[in-house]
Every structure is written in structure tokens, then in C-alpha cells.
Amino acid sequence: STGAQPSLHSAHLPAPPKLASQVDTSHAELLWFVAGSPLGIRSAMASAMVLSSSSNLYQAGVSEVNQQAKLRLFTGSITLRFKQESGALTTLSVKPWHTLRETRERLEQTVCAGPCRLRLFRRGHEVNYQRTVDACHLQDQDLIHVSFNKANPMNSPKLEVLCGSACPLALKSVLDAARQGLERGLSPELTPSGLGGTYFLKNLDQEVVGVFKPEDEEAGGPNNPRGHKGCMGCPSVRNGVMAGEANLREVAAYMLDHEKFANVPATVRVEVRHPLFGSRSKVGSFQEFKWHDEEVGDLSSSLFSEEEAHKIAIMDIRLLNTDRNDENLLVRRHQDNNLELIPIDHGCSLPSTLQVNWHDWVWLSWPQTKRPFSKAEKEYIRGLNPSNDSSLLSQELDMAWRNLLMLNIATTFLQKGAAADLTLFDIASMMVRDEPEVPSTLENIMTQSRALAQTKRGGSGGLLPRRSPAITPSPGSPKNQKRGMRRTNSNIDLAQLSTFSLPPAEIKSYKSKDDHTWDAAEEEQQLESFDSLFFEYLHEMMDTFISQRLCKKKAVRLLTSSFKSLSQCNDQVSPPKPKCAPKILQENTLRPLHSRPTNISNLCTLELWN
């Protein structure tokens, strides 16, 4: 600032005179931010400390932060671009400590000719006007979409694509038909099934054309109509997905269905206003309604073709869909009696963990998944780019990095498995849990990769400290005391690793919830652990486990052929008839045919691999 620099007596942080001498101090806009500190400066104070004579306040804050707290110096401004619905662009120069409310007021003075209220959208969401530019991670030349808050007389119905979201061409006519139905008085109809609020929207002929799922009525949401109420951002019914995020997954599934490979219905984020929902508009996903004849649970799985079964399995593996049951797979019967599968309800996709149970994928028991990939399917899988998919979801839907990391890992594992000629059953079996408390093979791969990377960096790798006594007795111990066995890292259960799972989405902290993200340092620390070294070990571990799977399959094939050859030889030589009945028959203790032998583990394994 223009005043004198404060005197710093704390040993935790260096004094800033050198930094101050490198910048222009002629303007009172030199701001110091303590990242990671619990100071809690509100937006009313511009989320900043003007260090002119507030050394006491600074000392109080330093005493509460750890020794690795960092000072960040903001001296300049950034330029933001604002795009209106008409396509007109407006630029504004803002400071990092300005709130978005202040930015919006400046934009209204520039854009609006008279009194009006603007709404700002970024990455598929309306911005939080209480937060600062820096807290929203806005960078220079970032694009923000602008919508004029138009007057809606008498709370008339409204159905519009959310500002900044691209509407698929296949949905424009569907949206028009649903909008006309709302304007004619056809209210949204709540579906009888499901855990969240799902509404059918009809056209003028009273035919269902679209499905609307509000984000605040999802399972665990505050306005859930089925009694599963909670708050936005709280854990939902499925692990790794928070309340209010399922509608984003519906749109993400459609965006990731490249070339319409899995036939996911067209989906987009919309804003709906209707008296049924009260006076305020509701934001959620709108999906095209697909007419169908039956559901998967009504038919035998043997009736589906390999192509239809494979495309659903490939999509669910990529998205780590934890809710693929026989009710969210629709069946359409064509005139040539071919059955087409239509996947819906992807709200439980893209979780923040790799935990998938065996019963989450209904197709896992289908015989089609044990057959090899076709050439076209291998080409499609090889052409997938998880990095581009992650960037797309981050830019359009602001998806969290944990969820994008899981997408990257699942897609990479699918590509490696398909390249090694594994079947979908082989790949899926290594990704699912056979028991709820036992981690899957892919979870162990991620755990070990992260531990190895951490050890390589010089850390402990997340391993628990050795609990067995040391080999060399301590100086004060008795001479006749037996030496304990050294516990090696290989004897430690994987469940004991602190790196087994990702950190929770919301880290509990004593830090105040301020406009500034004071916990950003913790978030960055977790993100930095998944660096290039981690992915190097991850690829090596994946290749190792896939090779082991291939070796087991080869051994089982050889064993099966040996048993078949031996059985054919025994059939050619008829065994002599016994002179007396076996003892088990004399005692009449023969078990019924449906009973299971006691020692058939090898036979079960043989049947599974076969």
C-alpha cells in the first residue's frame, strides 16, 4: 500500500519488503492474501488486507496458520469476456478481489440501456455472486455467458435451454413441442417410480416427448418429493455422487456417447418454470423420451445380439455407472424382430471412487460379454481419448477433478484390456467387487500405484507404521526376551493403506467459509499426488495384472483340453462292473442331484474361466 510496510516478527513467514520493492506502490491496490489461513475476511472487506498499519491483525492471522502458509500478491487486473445470447461480446477489466456482484453491476451499466438485471453463467452453472473473481478461479480472457432476466407476467410456464449450454439438434423440435404443451396447460407429470423427482412433459397431443429431472429434487435434495430429503452437495444414495449432481451426469453421458455408439437419448440442461414448481424456476436435465416396447427385465438376455450387449457394457465401463439395472435399459422391437437397447438414467455415473459392486451391472451375467470384441468395437475403444473427454466435461459442466480422474482410469483400463484381447467379462470382473468390503482388482491397482509414487517421491507411500517389535532389542530390555518377526510391507493388508481411496469431496476443516477458498491448498495437494509418476506406475500395474489374467486364461484352456482328452480315453475303455454295490448305495446316502459337492472349487473355477 502507500503506507509503510508492517514490521513482521513471525518466524513462520518471510518479511515482504523485497516483493514490495518490485511492484508499483503508487496505487493503494497492493493486496496480500494468506492462502490456507483461517482469517475469514468477508467480501465486504474486499477479501483482502491492505497492509499499511495492520500489523496486529496480520500477526494474529499468522499465529493460526501452519508453517507452510503462502503469501499471494495481486497487483494487476484481468480481462473477462461476456457473451450475450445475441452473440455480442463485451469485455471488462476486473481486479481479483472484486466480487461477481460488483462485476455484474458494472456490466449492467455498460450493457443495459435502462433498469435490468443480468444473470451470469460459466461452465453450465450460474455463478455465485458473493464470491470474488479469484475465488471462482477466473483467468484472463475467460468467457462468461450473459442472460437478461426477462419479466415473466403472471408466472407463465417457461422452458428454455440453460444459458451457455449447447442444445443438440435432435432436441430442438422436442423442446418446442414440450414448451407448447406447457403453455396449453399440460402440467408436468410425476413418474410413479424412482427415488428422485422425474417428470414427463407432453406435447399438444398429450404424448410424452421429454423427461425433466430437477436438480433440487434428486435423491438427497432439499425438495425431493419421495421423502429422501437432504441438502445440496450432501452424499446421495450412491457412493461418489452428491445430491444435485445427477442431472449433470445425465448430460455428461450423452456428451461422451461419441458417434451415438451406445444410443444414449439426447440430453441438455434446461430451466423450467411452472406453477407446479412454485414461483421460482427449476434447473435440471431434459432428455428426449424414447418410445419402447419392453424393458430388459421382461426378456431373456439371450435374445439380445452381441453388438447391442457390448455397446451398453462399453459405455457403463467408461462411465463407471453404478446403477445399470434391468429397469433403465429399454428395449425397442423392430419389424425384422431385431431388439434395440436404449440406455437411460445415468445419474449415478462418473463417481469420485472406483467402487462398483457386481450387482450394479446387470449385463455382467450375460453370455454375450464372454465373447470377444468385434473389429469395429476395438477401433472405437482405441479411438477414445480420456484427456479430451475430461477437458470437455470440465469446460461444459465444471465436473470435479476426482470424477474426471476416475473417467481417465476406467477408460485407460478398458483400452488396455481390449488391446490384450480380453473380453468384456474379463475386464468387468477386474473392476467390480465380489463382496462389498473387498476391493476390486482395479482399486488395488490404483492403491498400489499411488503408494509406489509416494514412496518414489520420498514419502511413506501411505503405509501404516510397522507394529511388530524391532529385531534388535532395546538397551533396557531383558536378554532372554524373544526377538519378534519383522513385518514386511507385503504382509500389510491393502485395506490398511491410507491411500486406498480418494479424499472425501468435502474436507471437514476448522477454517471459516469465506468468499475466498482458504482450503485450496489442501485440494491442490491432493491433486498433485496424481502426477505423471502416478500414471507411470498405474500403466505398469495395469499391464501386469492384465498379463496375469491372460496367463490364467491360457492355463485354464490347457487344463480343460487335458480333461477332455482324458475323458474321451476313459469312455473308450469300459470299466468292469463292480461285484457288489458301493457302500454309499447300500447305505442309501446318495445326495440328490441338485445338491452341491463339497470340494468343487477347481471345477467352479474351470467353469467360470471356460
Side-chain angles (χ1 to χ4, degrees):
S1 69
T2 54
Q5 294 291 337
S7 59
L8 302 178
H9 305 287
S10 173
H12 298 294
L13 294 172
K18 294 183 179 180
L19 291 176
S21 61
Q22 300 174 3
V23 298
D24 183 13
T25 59
S26 59
H27 301 84
E29 294 179 347
L30 181 60
L31 302 180
W32 295 87
F33 286 83
V34 182
S37 71
L39 298 179
I41 308 300
R42 290 292 181 184
S43 60
M45 302 174 62
S47 302
M49 295 183 298
V50 181
L51 298 182
S52 56
S53 59
S54 56
S55 58
N56 295 332
L57 176 62
Y58 183 76
Q59 290 289 340
V62 170
S63 63
E64 298 181 10
V65 300
N66 54 34
Q67 296 182 359
Q68 297 181 353
K70 299 179 181 179
L71 287 175
R72 293 191 296 146
L73 179 62
F74 295 136
T75 59
S77 58
I78 63 175
T79 301
L80 297 179
R81 297 178 301 155
F82 299 88
K83 184 177 182 180
Q84 304 178 27
E85 295 175 317
S86 60
L89 280 176
T90 305
T91 59
L92 279 182
S93 178
V94 298
K95 301 294 183 181
W97 55 86
H98 287 168
T99 64
L100 292 181
R101 182 182 299 276
E102 299 171 347
T103 305
R104 181 178 64 174
E105 292 175 355
R106 290 181 53 197
L107 184 63
E108 290 173 351
Q109 296 176 0
T110 305
V111 174
C112 301
C116 68
R117 176 61 67 185
L118 300 180
R119 300 174 63 189
L120 308 181
F121 293 85
R122 179 174 178 264
R123 294 184 178 181
H125 302 269
E126 188 170 6
V127 301
N128 186 348
Y129 301 102
Q130 303 295 333
R131 298 173 67 87
T132 62
V133 172
D134 176 68
C136 293
H137 307 288
L138 291 174
Q139 304 295 329
D140 191 43
Q141 299 298 324
D142 273 358
L143 181 64
I144 297 178
H145 296 271
V146 180
S147 173
F148 289 86
N149 194 6
K150 303 174 184 178
N152 192 7
M154 300 178 60
N155 198 20
S156 60
K158 182 185 72 170
L159 173 59
E160 294 180 355
V161 177
L162 201 64
C163 181
S165 300
C167 181
L169 296 178
L171 269 184
K172 291 186 177 180
S173 59
V174 179
L175 285 169
D176 293 338
R179 188 181 300 109
Q180 293 174 4
L182 291 176
E183 294 174 353
R184 287 292 183 91
L186 298 178
S187 300
E189 179 182 345
L190 181 65
T191 60
S193 61
L195 298 178
T198 303
Y199 297 88
F200 287 149
L201 301 184
K202 302 179 181 179
N203 59 9
L204 295 179
D205 297 330
Q206 299 190 9
E207 297 176 345
V208 179
V209 294
V211 181
F212 175 60
K213 297 181 179 180
E215 61 181 5
D216 63 332
E217 297 189 14
E218 297 176 3
N223 298 320
N224 183 272
R226 308 185 193 276
H228 307 286
K229 293 186 177 182
C231 59
M232 300 289 286
C234 294
S236 184
V237 293
R238 294 285 179 171
N239 187 28
V241 179
M242 301 300 172
E245 296 181 352
N247 67 102
L248 299 175
R249 271 72 179 166
E250 297 281 359
V251 182
Y254 173 73
M255 296 175 62
L256 296 183
D257 187 18
H258 307 301
E259 304 174 7
K260 298 184 179 180
F261 177 79
N263 198 21
V264 177
T267 314
V268 71
R269 293 247 294 171
V270 298
E271 187 175 14
V272 178
R273 176 177 296 175
H274 192 272
L276 179 66
F277 301 138
S279 58
R280 302 186 62 180
S281 302
K282 291 205 172 190
V283 176
S285 63
F286 179 87
Q287 187 175 84
E288 178 187 5
F289 180 79
K290 290 288 187 177
W291 288 99
H292 56 280
D293 300 294
E294 293 160 309
E295 296 177 352
V296 162
D298 302 329
L299 301 173
S300 172
S301 60
S302 60
L303 299 177
F304 309 131
S305 63
E306 290 185 26
E307 180 183 0
E308 293 296 318
H310 281 196
K311 72 179 186 180
I312 301 299
I314 292 173
M315 190 69 180
D316 287 341
I317 288 177
R318 289 179 57 204
L319 301 181
L320 287 170
N321 188 5
T322 59
D323 187 26
R324 176 61 70 205
N325 55 66
D326 51 10
E327 293 183 356
N328 53 34
L329 263 180
L330 308 180
V331 180
R332 177 185 294 172
R333 190 183 299 272
H334 294 275
Q335 295 180 356
D336 54 359
N337 289 331
N338 288 335
L339 301 180
E340 177 187 5
L341 297 180
I342 304 174
I344 59 173
D345 293 343
H346 297 94
C348 296
S349 302
L350 297 172
S352 59
T353 65
L354 292 174
Q355 181 177 347
V356 181
N357 295 317
W358 64 269
H359 53 77
D360 292 334
W361 289 340
V362 67
W363 47 261
L364 187 58
S365 60
W366 293 1
Q368 296 89 330
T369 60
K370 299 181 181 180
R371 296 167 187 165
F373 290 101
S374 65
K375 183 178 179 180
E377 292 167 351
K378 284 189 175 182
E379 290 292 335
Y380 178 81
I381 295 174
R382 188 183 300 111
L384 296 175
N385 192 328
S387 299
N388 292 345
D389 292 341
S390 300
S391 300
L392 176 65
L393 297 184
S394 177
Q395 292 294 329
E396 298 295 333
L397 301 175
D398 198 19
M399 199 75 70
W401 66 268
R402 294 182 181 88
N403 309 89
L404 301 180
L405 175 65
M406 299 302 106
L407 171 66
N408 196 322
I409 294 176
T411 305
T412 302
F413 192 68
L414 173 64
Q415 290 177 326
K416 288 181 174 292
D421 292 330
L422 290 179
T423 63
L424 280 167
F425 178 81
D426 297 328
I427 299 173
S429 298
M430 301 173 70
M431 297 179 64
V432 299
R433 293 187 175 190
D434 294 330
E435 298 180 8
E437 302 300 330
V438 180
S440 64
T441 302
L442 185 57
E443 289 178 281
N444 291 336
I445 289 175
M446 177 180 170
T447 301
Q448 297 180 30
S449 301
R450 192 178 182 188
L452 290 172
Q454 183 66 21
T455 304
K456 186 71 173 180
R457 300 187 198 99
S460 62
L463 297 177
L464 295 178
R466 181 164 53 88
R467 295 175 295 176
S468 57
I471 294 180
T472 305
S474 58
S477 60
K479 296 182 179 181
N480 57 354
Q481 184 178 3
K482 295 183 179 180
R483 294 182 179 181
M485 180 179 297
R486 183 188 299 273
R487 181 184 295 270
T488 61
N489 291 344
S490 60
N491 292 332
I492 297 180
D493 187 8
L494 289 175
Q496 298 177 350
L497 297 179
S498 61
T499 57
F500 168 68
S501 60
L502 287 175
E506 183 178 359
I507 303 176
K508 294 184 179 180
S509 176
Y510 64 91
K511 300 170 185 175
S512 61
K513 296 299 182 181
D514 200 341
D515 287 346
H516 200 82
T517 53
W518 300 106
D519 57 350
E522 298 176 355
E523 187 78 6
E524 292 177 1
Q525 183 180 6
Q526 295 293 341
L527 178 59
E528 290 173 357
S529 63
F530 299 98
D531 53 1
S532 59
L533 184 60
F534 163 78
F535 281 100
E536 178 181 349
Y537 282 114
L538 182 72
H539 286 274
E540 293 180 1
M541 296 291 294
M542 285 183 178
D543 294 336
T544 301
F545 278 85
I546 289 176
S547 299
Q548 293 178 0
R549 185 82 176 191
L550 291 173
C551 292
K552 289 181 180 179
K553 292 188 66 176
K554 183 177 180 181
V556 169
R557 284 196 299 266
L558 294 176
L559 185 61
T560 303
S561 60
S562 300
F563 274 125
K564 289 182 178 180
S565 301
L566 182 61
S567 177
Q568 293 176 359
C569 294
N570 292 337
D571 292 341
Q572 295 176 359
V573 180
S574 58
K577 297 181 180 180
K579 297 181 180 180
C580 59
K583 183 179 180 181
I584 189 172
L585 295 178
Q586 293 176 357
E587 297 177 356
N588 196 19
T589 58
L590 186 63
R591 288 176 296 183
L593 294 177
H594 64 270
S595 63
R596 190 180 185 88
T598 55
N599 298 322
I600 62 167
S601 59
N602 294 333
L603 295 179
C604 290
T605 304
L606 177 61
E607 181 182 358
L608 175 63
W609 289 108
N610 193 21

